[in-house]
Amino acid sequence: MRLRTRHLDLIHPTLDPRQGTPIIGGENFHCSASLFSELKDIKIQSFFPDSIAADTSETPFCCEAKRRSEMADTLAALRSLMSSHAPPLDALVVPSEDYHQSEYVSSRDKRREFVSGFTGSAGLALITINEALLWTDGRYFLQAAQQLSDQWKLMRIGEDPAVDVWMADNLPNDAAIGTDPWCVSIDTAQRWERAFAKKQQKLVQTSTNLVDEVWQNRPPPEINPVNVHALEFAGRSTTDKLHDLREKLAEEKARGIVITALDEVAWLYNIRGNDVSYCPVVHAFAVVTPTSAFFYVDQGKLSSEVSGYLKENGIEVREYGAVSADVSLLASNQLGPCAFKETQSEVSGGTDIGSREDTAESIKTEAEDGNSIDLIWADPGSCCYALYSKLNSNRVLLKQSPLALAKALKNPIELDGLRKAHIRDGAAVVQYLVWLDKQMQEDYGASGYFVEGETLTQKKQLEGKKLTEVTVSDKLESFRASKEHFKSLSFPTISSVGPNAAIIHYSPQRDSCAELDADCIYLFDSGAQYLDGTTDITRTVHFGRPSAHEKACYTAVLKGHIALGNARFPNGTNGYALDILARVPLWKDGLDYRHGTGHGIGSYLNVHEGPHLISFRPQARNVPMQASMTVTDEPGYYEDGNFGIRLENVLVVNEADTKFNFGDKGYLSFEHITWAPYQTKLINLSLLTPEEINWLNTYHSKCRDILAPYLDDAEMAWLKKATEPVCA
């Protein structure tokens, strides 16, 4: 890896919530001079600016050798810190998550990636005195196997022992296992502690993050502006959301809630930001009580307009690093607003704020008429162990945040925006396919999207004409960027050719990605952030002659995709029960896939949104499907070393109009809101039932009608051909 020096005077200091003191990027090296000297002695040159090589012309072999050397130096440095820690650590856990338990994190929070070299979004590293192990799920088995050096052992979740089981069984009695409590959830920490108890092992909360100690060139904090998410897109005001939340507090006899999930903070306060790539969120915490609302954020990110908006809504702004002390005050019932009510009245004229305070006081009084309210609500899955440790454990309500479900249940304005965003996004995907089809034929001699034939000519090696996984995904982004309300992509585009498509969450790199190949399957999984909605779509295509096996696999995936999307089911049905519908057509041929089948989608928020999901994993049992939720439908099949297939649409859960209503439960169904054709050339039509063929033709007819206003004549002619009715 190439490390760069940074100038201290260019780095904006922020507050570390662990101590409430300023930190300055990676250059704030939290160790003594003697330890610094010791680390230099064990040759961690790549972490110190004075030893960074200026030569940029290394061969791939040299780059790999350097990477391996740096990895060894990183592990050696961490083991030195583990040995000198009080108490000495037998193991160090390095999770993927940040202080907010986020799935996707900023560059400076990619600690697990830094120590292991594995770039996937999910995983956990464990470093012992003699071993280094990396746990990840089925989406990343192939990628991790390729990226990890021989100093690391890959542990496959679902196949190998879970990390807590492995630690309990393989570490010595009385072992001390260290972790940064800011990067571990309450649930996770408590599960580990239960596993450790049988051998008197103990979980040690480190006072600093040891990875940060050796990550000398850690990216500095970025100061990205906070923006107000307009009511025309949000659909509900912050005032209304706070009122609903306070009613939930009263129902649970809680006098406060600590909100740590970034998307929940953004949704509650109707604000958005750019602190995490592809996710329009702000690094911030929130605390809400019956009478107060606090927003913990770097105040350098707030304009006067945003500050005024927050005051108008009764939200007090405090520094990001103050959350730790304030949670302690909340625990002792001493947390209150600063001299704030006067400024609220000045800004709002006193009327709105007064009515909000009356409502909050009424809620508080009603709760106090019953049992005493003295609980603090913390979501065990998203609240970090560090903040939990500030609370009285006997007075904590450990329950999923009420905002998780409230955010997942889209209001009519959000649903309307999502539908419109997906139409514009579908038009961009069709424009991309039209362009790519033309390029593959002209530059690669491909038979094209419609014709099932051999490549006619040799690939043209023309400078500027070479199509790679990255250059074509750049083109797709340009089509999206031309659409109304576009803000960014919603995740790094998975643009994958042939064997790379078998890597489920493949991330192509500009300098090493594959060139497109007319004789190979091409899979692209992509999406965008629009002000009115978040999108996520996957299509798989072939511009040459697909094999009979590829067509059979594609058809099985399509059958599962159709089966799930056509499901009708009673209220109370969860995603665990629905997951099988997408797999049965694959199972009939002895095929399967290692990822879940569906996840929620945010409304100009995270592309992966809970609390519901469609999956074989046990957590899919926790929350049933409910009307106005969104969820993806994305079965697949992946053949290592050959190809990968995935098809994905976003669905809205609606109430179903059924002939009967057994048990008076009410029934639900799905509505497709993604619009882009399936490549009929890849379908073995003889394997489809008449009902499936009818569904395909109906869907394609809707694609033509819905996308027509967004396409020019040539693009529309292509789409008409791509959506012509088929028959067995």
Side-chain angles (χ1 to χ4, degrees):
M1 79 185 75
R2 175 66 55 195
L3 301 177
R4 296 176 296 172
T5 59
R6 300 184 185 271
H7 298 288
L8 291 177
D9 58 351
L10 296 180
I11 299 172
H12 183 93
T14 187
L15 289 178
D16 186 347
R18 154 194 330 276
Q19 297 169 331
T21 56
I23 59 172
I24 308 179
E27 263 67 25
N28 187 25
F29 197 76
H30 303 281
C31 69
S32 65
S34 59
L35 180 55
F36 184 95
S37 176
E38 178 184 346
L39 294 176
K40 291 278 280 188
D41 289 343
I42 60 172
K43 299 180 180 178
I44 58 168
Q45 288 95 338
S46 39
F47 301 111
F48 297 95
D50 59 18
S51 64
I52 298 175
D55 181 19
T56 59
S57 60
E58 296 135 318
T59 65
F61 176 81
C62 291
C63 289
E64 178 62 20
K66 182 177 180 181
R67 189 182 75 88
R68 287 171 50 80
S69 175
E70 290 173 345
M71 190 64 62
D73 292 341
T74 301
L75 293 173
L78 285 172
R79 285 170 176 143
S80 177
L81 290 176
M82 290 162 58
S83 297
S84 63
H85 190 274
L89 301 177
D90 297 276
L92 177 69
V93 180
V94 183
S96 298
E97 291 76 16
D98 59 11
Y99 292 1
H100 306 269
Q101 306 307 299
S102 307
E103 177 186 11
Y104 296 107
V105 300
S106 66
S107 296
R108 66 183 276 102
D109 292 320
K110 293 182 178 179
R111 299 177 177 93
R112 187 228 61 227
E113 177 181 326
F114 171 72
V115 301
S116 68
F118 167 61
T119 62
S121 65
L124 179 145
L126 177 68
I127 300 165
T128 72
I129 300 304
N130 300 311
E131 294 185 89
L133 305 97
L134 187 285
W135 274 260
T136 192
D137 62 52
R139 295 172 298 169
Y140 294 110
F141 288 171
L142 189 55
Q143 179 179 338
Q146 292 176 356
Q147 291 183 331
L148 293 176
S149 72
D150 57 10
Q151 299 161 82
W152 286 84
K153 179 180 180 181
L154 174 60
M155 304 295 285
R156 294 171 171 82
I157 294 175
E159 299 179 11
D160 295 316
V163 63
D164 52 324
V165 173
W166 190 95
M167 289 190 288
D169 290 345
N170 291 275
L171 296 177
N173 291 347
D174 302 318
I177 298 106
T179 195
D180 183 347
W182 287 89
C183 299
V184 176
S185 70
I186 302 169
D187 259 352
T188 298
Q190 291 183 338
R191 184 175 69 252
W192 292 351
E193 288 178 328
R194 289 192 295 270
F196 297 164
K198 62 182 180 181
K199 290 174 63 176
Q200 292 75 52
Q201 297 164 329
K202 56 183 177 293
L203 182 65
V204 176
Q205 301 183 40
T206 60
S207 59
T208 62
N209 192 296
L210 300 192
V211 175
D212 295 351
E213 300 286 352
V214 301
W215 193 356
Q216 177 65 6
N217 288 80
R218 183 183 175 210
E222 294 184 6
I223 305 304
N224 298 306
V226 174
N227 300 303
V228 176
H229 191 47
L231 190 60
E232 66 177 294
F233 301 118
R236 296 196 71 217
S237 69
T238 297
T239 301
D240 290 342
K241 292 177 181 180
L242 282 169
H243 181 272
D244 290 351
L245 176 58
R246 286 169 173 143
E247 286 190 329
K248 290 290 185 181
L249 293 178
E251 289 173 10
E252 297 291 346
K253 302 295 187 287
R255 58 178 174 81
I257 181 170
V258 180
I259 304 163
T260 60
L262 298 181
D263 60 337
E264 291 184 9
V265 176
W267 179 87
L268 176 65
Y269 290 158
N270 281 346
I271 54 97
R272 298 293 188 269
N274 192 32
D275 285 349
V276 179
S277 296
Y278 311 104
C279 305
V281 294
V282 181
H283 280 139
F285 297 94
V287 170
V288 176
T289 73
T291 57
S292 301
F294 301 93
F295 182 42
Y296 300 88
V297 67
D298 184 332
Q299 296 189 40
K301 301 176 180 180
L302 305 181
S303 66
S304 58
E305 177 188 357
V306 173
S307 295
Y309 160 82
L310 294 168
K311 287 182 179 180
E312 288 171 5
N313 284 278
I315 301 164
E316 180 172 344
V317 178
R318 297 193 175 180
E319 279 295 342
Y320 183 75
V323 68
S324 182
D326 276 12
V327 169
S328 294
L329 291 173
L330 179 67
S332 59
N333 206 12
Q334 299 179 65
L335 179 64
C338 296
F340 189 56
K341 293 183 180 179
E342 294 78 5
T343 56
Q344 290 173 353
S345 298
E346 290 170 6
V347 172
S348 64
T351 305
D352 292 341
I353 292 298
S355 64
R356 283 195 291 272
E357 289 178 346
D358 290 344
T359 301
E361 189 62 33
S362 173
I363 293 170
K364 180 181 178 184
T365 301
E366 290 173 8
E368 289 178 337
D369 285 343
N371 296 327
S372 171
I373 60 170
D374 195 35
L375 295 175
I376 305 301
W377 195 330
D379 187 326
S382 63
C383 182
C384 63
Y385 202 51
L387 290 178
Y388 172 74
S389 299
K390 302 289 182 180
L391 301 171
N392 179 346
S393 61
N394 294 324
R395 307 305 303 163
V396 178
L397 174 64
L398 290 177
K399 186 176 181 180
Q400 185 175 76
S401 166
L403 300 181
L405 181 58
K407 173 167 53 63
L409 297 172
K410 309 303 184 206
N411 63 57
I413 298 295
E414 289 175 318
L415 287 174
D416 182 62
L418 280 162
R419 291 185 178 100
K420 291 176 178 176
H422 279 80
I423 292 172
R424 297 192 305 274
D425 199 70
V429 170
V430 169
Q431 290 170 331
Y432 173 62
L433 286 170
V434 173
W435 171 84
L436 187 57
D437 184 21
K438 183 174 184 289
Q439 298 303 311
M440 291 301 294
Q441 292 183 62
E442 291 181 354
D443 299 340
Y444 289 82
S447 55
Y449 186 91
F450 302 107
V451 178
E452 199 171 327
E454 302 294 340
T455 302
L456 301 178
T457 62
Q458 294 294 318
K459 296 177 184 177
K460 298 180 182 179
Q461 301 298 325
L462 299 178
E463 192 64 33
K465 285 288 188 177
K466 182 178 179 181
L467 299 179
T468 71
E469 292 165 328
V470 169
T471 60
V472 296
S473 68
D474 289 344
K475 187 67 176 180
L476 174 56
E477 182 176 359
S478 73
F479 285 118
R480 284 191 162 109
S482 68
K483 301 297 181 276
E484 184 182 20
H485 299 319
F486 175 84
K487 300 299 290 183
S488 74
L489 299 182
S490 54
F491 58 96
T493 298
I494 300 170
S495 174
S496 50
V497 175
N500 290 340
I503 303 173
I504 297 170
H505 271 202
Y506 173 70
S507 180
Q509 302 302 306
R510 192 170 300 274
D511 59 350
S512 60
C513 64
E515 185 177 0
L516 263 64
D517 189 333
D519 297 321
C520 292
I521 272 180
Y522 172 61
L523 180 156
F524 63 103
D525 183 346
S526 62
Q529 296 286 5
Y530 301 92
L531 284 173
D532 52 353
T534 303
T535 68
D536 187 2
I537 176 176
T538 307
R539 289 294 184 265
T540 304
V541 296
H542 200 301
F543 293 101
R545 184 188 296 277
S547 69
H549 177 56
E550 288 171 332
K551 293 173 71 171
C553 293
Y554 182 96
T555 307
V557 171
L558 177 63
K559 288 170 71 71
H561 178 76
I562 294 172
L564 177 58
N566 283 344
R568 289 194 174 193
F569 48 94
N571 273 303
T573 303
N574 58 46
Y576 187 86
L578 294 171
D579 182 75
I580 190 175
L581 297 176
R583 296 181 191 270
V584 166
L586 289 155
W587 288 355
K588 287 181 178 178
D589 291 327
L591 306 177
D592 204 350
Y593 51 97
R594 289 191 175 102
H595 57 76
T597 304
H599 57 81
I601 290 280
S603 179
Y604 186 38
L605 268 176
N606 293 352
V607 71
H608 290 168
E609 182 177 88
H612 59 293
L613 70 159
I614 299 175
S615 177
F616 60 92
R617 294 186 172 87
Q619 58 264 40
R621 296 189 180 106
N622 296 343
V623 179
M625 294 291 142
Q626 298 180 41
S628 79
M629 283 179 168
T630 59
V631 68
T632 60
D633 172 3
E634 50 179 311
Y637 173 66
Y638 312 90
E639 199 164 282
D640 290 356
N642 292 318
F643 63 87
I645 296 165
R646 183 162 64 253
L647 297 172
E648 176 184 19
N649 281 5
V650 173
L651 314 173
V652 172
V653 184
N654 292 325
E655 293 180 357
D657 182 17
T658 56
K659 184 177 181 180
F660 302 103
N661 184 19
F662 180 80
D664 292 324
K665 291 182 177 181
Y667 282 72
L668 301 172
S669 62
F670 291 123
E671 169 198 352
H672 287 259
I673 63 172
T674 299
W675 304 107
Y678 306 94
Q679 190 180 26
T680 55
K681 186 175 83 172
L682 265 171
I683 303 172
N684 183 338
L685 293 170
S686 69
L687 299 177
L688 295 184
T689 65
E691 292 78 13
E692 290 166 340
I693 289 176
N694 180 64
W695 181 90
L696 181 64
N697 288 334
T698 301
Y699 176 84
H700 277 167
S701 176
K702 290 179 179 178
C703 277
R704 291 193 300 273
D705 295 341
I706 288 171
L707 298 182
Y710 299 87
L711 304 175
D712 64 25
D713 290 345
E715 292 161 349
M716 194 61 208
W718 186 96
L719 180 60
K720 285 180 178 178
K721 189 172 183 180
T723 56
E724 288 176 350
V726 296
C727 58

PDB file of all heavy atoms in Angstrom, residues 635-653:
ATOM      1  N   PRO A 635     -32.090 -13.244  -5.450  1.00  0.00           N
ATOM      2  CA  PRO A 635     -31.418 -14.546  -5.453  1.00  0.00           C
ATOM      3  C   PRO A 635     -30.251 -14.553  -6.436  1.00  0.00           C
ATOM      4  O   PRO A 635     -30.118 -13.667  -7.291  1.00  0.00           O
ATOM      5  CB  PRO A 635     -32.522 -15.504  -5.888  1.00  0.00           C
ATOM      6  CG  PRO A 635     -33.427 -14.664  -6.736  1.00  0.00           C
ATOM      7  CD  PRO A 635     -33.395 -13.284  -6.113  1.00  0.00           C
ATOM      8  N   GLY A 636     -29.396 -15.561  -6.333  1.00  0.00           N
ATOM      9  CA  GLY A 636     -28.255 -15.649  -7.239  1.00  0.00           C
ATOM     10  C   GLY A 636     -27.683 -17.050  -7.282  1.00  0.00           C
ATOM     11  O   GLY A 636     -28.144 -17.970  -6.594  1.00  0.00           O
ATOM     12  N   TYR A 637     -26.681 -17.208  -8.106  1.00  0.00           N
ATOM     13  CA  TYR A 637     -25.888 -18.443  -8.148  1.00  0.00           C
ATOM     14  C   TYR A 637     -24.477 -18.071  -8.591  1.00  0.00           C
ATOM     15  O   TYR A 637     -24.295 -17.271  -9.516  1.00  0.00           O
ATOM     16  CB  TYR A 637     -26.474 -19.477  -9.114  1.00  0.00           C
ATOM     17  CG  TYR A 637     -25.560 -20.662  -9.273  1.00  0.00           C
ATOM     18  CD1 TYR A 637     -25.321 -21.515  -8.200  1.00  0.00           C
ATOM     19  CD2 TYR A 637     -24.890 -20.901 -10.471  1.00  0.00           C
ATOM     20  CE1 TYR A 637     -24.433 -22.583  -8.322  1.00  0.00           C
ATOM     21  CE2 TYR A 637     -24.019 -21.962 -10.602  1.00  0.00           C
ATOM     22  CZ  TYR A 637     -23.779 -22.804  -9.522  1.00  0.00           C
ATOM     23  OH  TYR A 637     -22.897 -23.841  -9.634  1.00  0.00           O
ATOM     24  N   TYR A 638     -23.472 -18.670  -7.915  1.00  0.00           N
ATOM     25  CA  TYR A 638     -22.075 -18.298  -8.155  1.00  0.00           C
ATOM     26  C   TYR A 638     -21.231 -19.557  -8.271  1.00  0.00           C
ATOM     27  O   TYR A 638     -21.239 -20.408  -7.382  1.00  0.00           O
ATOM     28  CB  TYR A 638     -21.570 -17.414  -7.001  1.00  0.00           C
ATOM     29  CG  TYR A 638     -22.541 -16.306  -6.688  1.00  0.00           C
ATOM     30  CD1 TYR A 638     -23.565 -16.503  -5.752  1.00  0.00           C
ATOM     31  CD2 TYR A 638     -22.495 -15.098  -7.368  1.00  0.00           C
ATOM     32  CE1 TYR A 638     -24.495 -15.517  -5.500  1.00  0.00           C
ATOM     33  CE2 TYR A 638     -23.422 -14.099  -7.115  1.00  0.00           C
ATOM     34  CZ  TYR A 638     -24.425 -14.313  -6.183  1.00  0.00           C
ATOM     35  OH  TYR A 638     -25.353 -13.342  -5.943  1.00  0.00           O
ATOM     36  N   GLU A 639     -20.524 -19.655  -9.375  1.00  0.00           N
ATOM     37  CA  GLU A 639     -19.678 -20.812  -9.647  1.00  0.00           C
ATOM     38  C   GLU A 639     -18.233 -20.338  -9.645  1.00  0.00           C
ATOM     39  O   GLU A 639     -17.779 -19.672 -10.590  1.00  0.00           O
ATOM     40  CB  GLU A 639     -20.062 -21.423 -10.995  1.00  0.00           C
ATOM     41  CG  GLU A 639     -19.604 -22.845 -11.169  1.00  0.00           C
ATOM     42  CD  GLU A 639     -20.331 -23.526 -12.319  1.00  0.00           C
ATOM     43  OE1 GLU A 639     -21.504 -23.931 -12.126  1.00  0.00           O
ATOM     44  OE2 GLU A 639     -19.719 -23.633 -13.402  1.00  0.00           O
ATOM     45  N   ASP A 640     -17.519 -20.657  -8.569  1.00  0.00           N
ATOM     46  CA  ASP A 640     -16.163 -20.146  -8.388  1.00  0.00           C
ATOM     47  C   ASP A 640     -15.295 -20.423  -9.606  1.00  0.00           C
ATOM     48  O   ASP A 640     -15.250 -21.544 -10.121  1.00  0.00           O
ATOM     49  CB  ASP A 640     -15.518 -20.776  -7.149  1.00  0.00           C
ATOM     50  CG  ASP A 640     -16.145 -20.296  -5.854  1.00  0.00           C
ATOM     51  OD1 ASP A 640     -17.035 -19.420  -5.922  1.00  0.00           O
ATOM     52  OD2 ASP A 640     -15.750 -20.778  -4.775  1.00  0.00           O
ATOM     53  N   GLY A 641     -14.607 -19.387 -10.065  1.00  0.00           N
ATOM     54  CA  GLY A 641     -13.698 -19.518 -11.190  1.00  0.00           C
ATOM     55  C   GLY A 641     -14.351 -19.442 -12.551  1.00  0.00           C
ATOM     56  O   GLY A 641     -13.654 -19.433 -13.578  1.00  0.00           O
ATOM     57  N   ASN A 642     -15.695 -19.361 -12.588  1.00  0.00           N
ATOM     58  CA  ASN A 642     -16.385 -19.361 -13.881  1.00  0.00           C
ATOM     59  C   ASN A 642     -17.285 -18.147 -14.087  1.00  0.00           C
ATOM     60  O   ASN A 642     -17.044 -17.331 -14.957  1.00  0.00           O
ATOM     61  CB  ASN A 642     -17.195 -20.648 -14.045  1.00  0.00           C
ATOM     62  CG  ASN A 642     -16.308 -21.867 -14.190  1.00  0.00           C
ATOM     63  OD1 ASN A 642     -15.294 -21.824 -14.893  1.00  0.00           O
ATOM     64  ND2 ASN A 642     -16.663 -22.964 -13.528  1.00  0.00           N
ATOM     65  N   PHE A 643     -18.338 -18.040 -13.295  1.00  0.00           N
ATOM     66  CA  PHE A 643     -19.302 -16.956 -13.501  1.00  0.00           C
ATOM     67  C   PHE A 643     -20.161 -16.782 -12.250  1.00  0.00           C
ATOM     68  O   PHE A 643     -20.160 -17.611 -11.332  1.00  0.00           O
ATOM     69  CB  PHE A 643     -20.204 -17.238 -14.710  1.00  0.00           C
ATOM     70  CG  PHE A 643     -21.076 -18.464 -14.551  1.00  0.00           C
ATOM     71  CD1 PHE A 643     -22.314 -18.392 -13.934  1.00  0.00           C
ATOM     72  CD2 PHE A 643     -20.654 -19.705 -15.036  1.00  0.00           C
ATOM     73  CE1 PHE A 643     -23.118 -19.516 -13.786  1.00  0.00           C
ATOM     74  CE2 PHE A 643     -21.448 -20.840 -14.895  1.00  0.00           C
ATOM     75  CZ  PHE A 643     -22.679 -20.742 -14.264  1.00  0.00           C
ATOM     76  N   GLY A 644     -20.906 -15.690 -12.243  1.00  0.00           N
ATOM     77  CA  GLY A 644     -21.883 -15.439 -11.190  1.00  0.00           C
ATOM     78  C   GLY A 644     -23.132 -14.836 -11.803  1.00  0.00           C
ATOM     79  O   GLY A 644     -23.074 -14.144 -12.824  1.00  0.00           O
ATOM     80  N   ILE A 645     -24.277 -15.124 -11.193  1.00  0.00           N
ATOM     81  CA  ILE A 645     -25.568 -14.620 -11.669  1.00  0.00           C
ATOM     82  C   ILE A 645     -26.337 -14.076 -10.465  1.00  0.00           C
ATOM     83  O   ILE A 645     -26.403 -14.719  -9.407  1.00  0.00           O
ATOM     84  CB  ILE A 645     -26.393 -15.742 -12.337  1.00  0.00           C
ATOM     85  CG1 ILE A 645     -25.689 -16.248 -13.601  1.00  0.00           C
ATOM     86  CG2 ILE A 645     -27.811 -15.261 -12.673  1.00  0.00           C
ATOM     87  CD1 ILE A 645     -26.224 -17.571 -14.114  1.00  0.00           C
ATOM     88  N   ARG A 646     -26.900 -12.884 -10.617  1.00  0.00           N
ATOM     89  CA  ARG A 646     -27.795 -12.344  -9.596  1.00  0.00           C
ATOM     90  C   ARG A 646     -28.805 -11.437 -10.301  1.00  0.00           C
ATOM     91  O   ARG A 646     -28.467 -10.725 -11.244  1.00  0.00           O
ATOM     92  CB  ARG A 646     -27.029 -11.568  -8.519  1.00  0.00           C
ATOM     93  CG  ARG A 646     -27.901 -11.050  -7.395  1.00  0.00           C
ATOM     94  CD  ARG A 646     -27.098 -10.672  -6.147  1.00  0.00           C
ATOM     95  NE  ARG A 646     -26.166  -9.573  -6.333  1.00  0.00           N
ATOM     96  CZ  ARG A 646     -24.837  -9.704  -6.401  1.00  0.00           C
ATOM     97  NH1 ARG A 646     -24.291 -10.920  -6.331  1.00  0.00           N
ATOM     98  NH2 ARG A 646     -24.054  -8.654  -6.551  1.00  0.00           N
ATOM     99  N   LEU A 647     -30.041 -11.474  -9.816  1.00  0.00           N
ATOM    100  CA  LEU A 647     -31.097 -10.580 -10.307  1.00  0.00           C
ATOM    101  C   LEU A 647     -31.715  -9.913  -9.088  1.00  0.00           C
ATOM    102  O   LEU A 647     -32.035 -10.591  -8.102  1.00  0.00           O
ATOM    103  CB  LEU A 647     -32.158 -11.368 -11.079  1.00  0.00           C
ATOM    104  CG  LEU A 647     -31.671 -12.079 -12.348  1.00  0.00           C
ATOM    105  CD1 LEU A 647     -32.764 -12.986 -12.905  1.00  0.00           C
ATOM    106  CD2 LEU A 647     -31.236 -11.065 -13.401  1.00  0.00           C
ATOM    107  N   GLU A 648     -31.894  -8.587  -9.173  1.00  0.00           N
ATOM    108  CA  GLU A 648     -32.369  -7.863  -7.993  1.00  0.00           C
ATOM    109  C   GLU A 648     -33.319  -6.744  -8.378  1.00  0.00           C
ATOM    110  O   GLU A 648     -33.011  -5.909  -9.224  1.00  0.00           O
ATOM    111  CB  GLU A 648     -31.186  -7.274  -7.226  1.00  0.00           C
ATOM    112  CG  GLU A 648     -31.583  -6.429  -6.027  1.00  0.00           C
ATOM    113  CD  GLU A 648     -30.382  -5.786  -5.350  1.00  0.00           C
ATOM    114  OE1 GLU A 648     -29.308  -5.693  -5.992  1.00  0.00           O
ATOM    115  OE2 GLU A 648     -30.515  -5.357  -4.197  1.00  0.00           O
ATOM    116  N   ASN A 649     -34.476  -6.751  -7.737  1.00  0.00           N
ATOM    117  CA  ASN A 649     -35.432  -5.653  -7.792  1.00  0.00           C
ATOM    118  C   ASN A 649     -35.749  -5.198  -6.377  1.00  0.00           C
ATOM    119  O   ASN A 649     -35.643  -5.986  -5.424  1.00  0.00           O
ATOM    120  CB  ASN A 649     -36.745  -6.086  -8.461  1.00  0.00           C
ATOM    121  CG  ASN A 649     -36.643  -6.121  -9.973  1.00  0.00           C
ATOM    122  OD1 ASN A 649     -35.571  -5.915 -10.544  1.00  0.00           O
ATOM    123  ND2 ASN A 649     -37.764  -6.384 -10.630  1.00  0.00           N
ATOM    124  N   VAL A 650     -36.185  -3.958  -6.236  1.00  0.00           N
ATOM    125  CA  VAL A 650     -36.703  -3.464  -4.962  1.00  0.00           C
ATOM    126  C   VAL A 650     -38.216  -3.635  -4.971  1.00  0.00           C
ATOM    127  O   VAL A 650     -38.890  -3.339  -5.972  1.00  0.00           O
ATOM    128  CB  VAL A 650     -36.312  -1.997  -4.735  1.00  0.00           C
ATOM    129  CG1 VAL A 650     -37.005  -1.442  -3.482  1.00  0.00           C
ATOM    130  CG2 VAL A 650     -34.798  -1.873  -4.589  1.00  0.00           C
ATOM    131  N   LEU A 651     -38.752  -4.118  -3.853  1.00  0.00           N
ATOM    132  CA  LEU A 651     -40.183  -4.360  -3.696  1.00  0.00           C
ATOM    133  C   LEU A 651     -40.746  -3.473  -2.589  1.00  0.00           C
ATOM    134  O   LEU A 651     -40.045  -3.148  -1.625  1.00  0.00           O
ATOM    135  CB  LEU A 651     -40.457  -5.820  -3.335  1.00  0.00           C
ATOM    136  CG  LEU A 651     -39.732  -6.914  -4.131  1.00  0.00           C
ATOM    137  CD1 LEU A 651     -40.018  -8.282  -3.509  1.00  0.00           C
ATOM    138  CD2 LEU A 651     -40.161  -6.882  -5.591  1.00  0.00           C
ATOM    139  N   VAL A 652     -42.013  -3.130  -2.698  1.00  0.00           N
ATOM    140  CA  VAL A 652     -42.760  -2.486  -1.618  1.00  0.00           C
ATOM    141  C   VAL A 652     -43.772  -3.493  -1.100  1.00  0.00           C
ATOM    142  O   VAL A 652     -44.440  -4.183  -1.887  1.00  0.00           O
ATOM    143  CB  VAL A 652     -43.473  -1.212  -2.112  1.00  0.00           C
ATOM    144  CG1 VAL A 652     -44.408  -0.663  -1.039  1.00  0.00           C
ATOM    145  CG2 VAL A 652     -42.455  -0.144  -2.502  1.00  0.00           C
ATOM    146  N   VAL A 653     -43.883  -3.594   0.214  1.00  0.00           N
ATOM    147  CA  VAL A 653     -44.865  -4.493   0.819  1.00  0.00           C
ATOM    148  C   VAL A 653     -46.200  -3.762   0.898  1.00  0.00           C
ATOM    149  O   VAL A 653     -46.293  -2.665   1.465  1.00  0.00           O
ATOM    150  CB  VAL A 653     -44.422  -4.939   2.226  1.00  0.00           C
ATOM    151  CG1 VAL A 653     -45.417  -5.948   2.792  1.00  0.00           C
ATOM    152  CG2 VAL A 653     -43.014  -5.528   2.192  1.00  0.00           C
TER     153      VAL A 653
END
